[in-house]
Amino acid sequence: MPHADFRSFLQTADEAGLVRTIRRQVDPLEEPGCYVKLMFHGLPESERFGFRFTDVSGSALPLATAVLGASTRAYALALGIAPGEINNHWLRALQAPLPTRLIQSGQCQENVLTGEDARLDRLPIPVWTPGKDPAPYITTLTVLRNAETGIQNVAVYRTQVTDAGHVVVNINPGRQGYDCMQSSFARGEPAPVAWVIGAEPECYAAAVANLRPGFDELTVAGAMRGAPINMVQAKTSALQVPASAEIIIEGEILPDAAAAEGPFGESAGYMSGGAPKPVARITAITHRNNACYYGLASQMPPSESTVLQSLSNAGVIMHMLRHEAGEERVVDAHIDLMFGGGAAHIIIAMDPVDREHVRRVGRLIADHTPVKRITIVDADIDIRDRLELDWVMSSHYNPDRDTDIISGYPTPMDHAVLPDAAGRRIGSKVVIDATRSSPMGPGSLPPRKLMEQALQSWGQDGLPDVHIRGRLRRRLERG
Ligand SMILES: Cc1cc2nc3c(=O)[nH]c(=O)nc-3n(C[C@H](O)[C@H](O)[C@H](O)COP(=O)(O)O)c2cc1C
């Protein structure tokens, strides 16, 4: 079941033990950023949780982070589904997007601050890589609108706070938000922008997915919920914003104004270089009563950012393969939870016709997505089980026969690729065919019947509970 709104999700996550509350006063410029790194890098995925800091110096509002994307379990809970259902949930939503619905008033505007009162320094905005990032960053849903088509775009573009009324937005050519911004500039107008904090969890899952141009992400979020996302008119622009959100920051990106953005601790695991990016002026802050600020924890992977992007984009790639390219023999896809927009590893389970078929699917993914490593295995392999994958690589994969290396892909985020004379990083990708392309013969486990008989005496011998499930069940079924 979907959660009524973001705060109900936070409460459910708390009850499920997925949130830790810190009540002593913390400095947003230091502790939250370090805490999320300790959590992500010090704990196995199954033990991760998010944070709520209730007393943040300089702000009356609490700060929450890492609750949506601490783990696969947290992401599934955010969507109100079981972890094994994530890809199917995505496939269903992408096939039947639901338009948003404009309503007259919304809780996100219970309090409206404009003019001198719209001050970012009232919000508990953290520094994500303390000691290295130059400033606090807003890491949340960023809404822009194409001035030509009227279609809105929602993505996450990190936004550096420069003072209480100004920010620098890391919005770059190739991004749909960039095209929206340019469409306003082409008319000689500033580009309206809104940062949405604490909208329905599905809005976050959809915003970080690489959807095709002109596709309003919130229509997919609505389909996931089985009901349209309610929107209200922003107070200072023509944008529409999710009505139940905790906080909306409204602004306008100024034509012909740029300022230094970064360096920032990025998803590649290294600091970005600083570069000039567009400047925006804040025009209003609206919020619910008792609002909670939420920042997506960024960025040394794995982070909340890479977990969200991996889980959302696996479903998008499944949809592209099955429903746009007609590759219905693809049955599952998993991205390694390190996907920060590129350079990650995707594992595909499929039932191929022949080796050429595997190559074709690999090439489709290489050409149409930013992932760098593509491993394709048979449909009966559990692509989320690292031990099973290592077995497949050892037993099914012959490197010189089964590896395609394809060069010539622009990979702006890949630190392993040196810039060329024109400053472009042109990298390569690898497709690994780890399907059983040569006959393997029978598997080397006793037949299922014998194993089941042994399991009966096993219990009588007082040995610990063992079940025939998962990898063992599949191998026995394979014979
Ligand atoms: C925490 C976080 C920060 C991100 N920061 C940026 C960013 O600064 N610039 C960017 O282009 N993409 C960034 N992304 C990735 C985009 O949000 C994502 O690829 C999105 O699908 C792009 O949408 P678009 O194709 O509509 O532009 C970030 C994602 C997350 C989760």
Side-chain angles (χ1 to χ4, degrees):
M1 283 288 287
H3 304 280
D5 54 14
F6 193 78
R7 57 178 66 181
S8 343
F9 159 62
L10 281 185
Q11 192 182 332
T12 309
D14 199 0
E15 286 160 8
L18 292 175
V19 182
R20 299 294 159 93
T21 301
I22 310 294
R23 294 201 162 75
R24 69 179 173 80
Q25 191 171 76
V26 296
D27 177 354
L29 308 186
E30 285 192 2
E31 284 157 295
C34 292
Y35 265 39
V36 291
K37 264 55 172 195
L38 283 170
M39 189 275 297
F40 268 103
H41 299 278
L43 295 174
E45 197 206 337
S46 58
E47 292 174 26
R48 291 194 211 135
F49 49 79
F51 293 96
R52 181 170 38 210
F53 299 93
T54 56
D55 185 358
V56 183
S57 57
S59 177
L61 274 56
L63 159 69
T65 183
V67 187
L68 287 161
S71 61
T72 308
R73 182 179 161 216
Y75 179 97
L77 183 79
L79 301 185
I81 56 172
E85 269 301 297
I86 295 173
N87 280 351
N88 283 338
H89 198 59
W90 264 99
L91 287 177
R92 281 192 294 270
L94 285 167
Q95 280 176 274
L98 261 186
T100 57
R101 174 168 55 202
L102 182 65
I103 59 173
Q104 287 312 305
S105 64
Q107 290 158 304
C108 69
Q109 293 172 341
E110 282 169 344
N111 304 274
V112 177
L113 303 169
T114 52
E116 288 294 294
D117 292 330
R119 298 183 61 86
L120 292 174
D121 54 4
R122 295 183 177 190
L123 300 177
I125 305 171
V127 170
W128 292 108
T129 308
K132 295 195 174 167
D133 290 357
Y137 270 77
I138 301 166
T139 48
T140 195
L141 310 177
T142 314
V143 181
L144 287 113
R145 181 169 173 268
N146 189 303
E148 298 301 322
T149 64
I151 298 174
Q152 295 201 160
N153 187 72
V154 187
V156 181
Y157 305 123
R158 68 174 190 247
T159 298
Q160 180 179 343
V161 177
T162 45
D163 63 43
H166 295 88
V167 295
V168 188
V169 195
N170 183 40
I171 187 169
N172 299 297
R175 286 303 196 204
Q176 295 180 51
Y178 184 88
D179 296 340
C180 292
M181 177 182 80
Q182 291 297 340
S183 68
S184 291
F185 291 173
R187 298 172 162 212
E189 296 164 2
V193 58
W195 292 268
V196 175
I197 294 150
E200 291 91 334
E202 292 83 357
C203 300
Y204 285 88
V208 300
N210 297 137
L211 302 181
R212 66 182 148 72
F215 204 101
D216 179 348
E217 286 77 4
L218 296 190
T219 64
V220 182
M224 284 188 189
R225 292 179 66 75
I229 301 290
N230 285 333
M231 308 289 283
V232 288
Q233 198 65 57
K235 289 291 177 189
T236 57
S237 75
L239 291 178
Q240 293 179 12
V241 291
S244 81
E246 293 289 315
I247 304 169
I248 309 284
I249 303 169
E250 299 183 16
E252 55 182 21
I253 306 180
L254 308 171
D256 307 322
E261 187 274 332
F264 183 80
E266 280 196 326
S267 59
Y270 295 94
M271 299 301 295
S272 70
K277 297 285 160 68
V279 170
R281 184 177 77 83
I282 304 306
T283 54
I285 297 177
T286 73
H287 65 89
R288 286 178 72 153
N289 296 332
N290 304 313
C292 177
Y293 182 88
Y294 191 84
L296 290 167
S298 307
Q299 266 294 349
M300 162 63 89
S303 69
E304 176 166 43
S305 166
T306 63
V307 170
L308 286 178
Q309 291 186 76
S310 295
L311 293 171
S312 289
N313 282 297
V316 174
I317 293 172
M318 282 275 285
H319 175 79
M320 182 271 286
L321 293 172
R322 286 179 62 90
H323 298 293
E324 290 173 4
E327 293 293 354
E328 290 184 10
R329 284 170 171 263
V330 170
V331 296
D332 204 0
H334 175 66
I335 304 181
D336 57 7
L337 305 188
M338 302 291 249
F339 180 77
H345 182 199
I346 189 167
I347 305 136
I348 297 288
M350 70 180 285
D351 178 21
V353 174
D354 54 23
R355 204 175 286 165
E356 261 323 294
H357 189 194
V358 175
R359 281 212 148 87
R360 203 165 61 239
V361 167
R363 183 75 199 216
L364 265 173
I365 300 170
D367 287 350
H368 296 286
T369 80
V371 297
K372 177 157 79 174
R373 287 179 295 145
I374 300 144
T375 302
I376 304 186
V377 301
D378 289 294
D380 63 341
I381 302 298
D382 180 351
I383 57 178
R384 292 167 189 80
D385 179 341
R386 298 298 318 174
L387 278 180
E388 177 116 310
L389 289 176
D390 280 339
W391 170 68
V392 159
M393 295 307 287
S394 303
S395 298
H396 299 177
Y397 168 58
N398 175 2
D400 72 356
R401 180 195 61 192
D402 296 331
T403 313
D404 281 348
I405 296 176
I406 318 167
S407 307
Y409 295 98
T411 49
M413 297 274 292
D414 193 339
H415 287 246
V417 179
L418 290 177
D420 63 15
R424 297 168 313 163
R425 290 180 202 262
I426 304 297
S428 57
K429 303 197 178 196
V430 62
V431 177
I432 291 174
D433 174 358
T435 60
R436 294 181 190 86
S437 38
S438 37
M440 295 289 160
S444 50
L445 276 176
R448 181 167 188 147
K449 197 165 160 223
L450 285 185
M451 291 289 268
E452 280 170 351
Q453 280 167 15
L455 197 55
Q456 284 174 12
S457 10
W458 171 277
Q460 287 155 16
D461 286 333
L463 296 171
D465 270 1
V466 164
H467 299 280
I468 295 185
R469 66 180 173 214
R471 189 168 59 236
L472 178 56
R473 180 181 56 75
R474 286 192 310 280
R475 288 180 176 192
L476 288 172
E477 278 167 4
R478 212 177 283 144

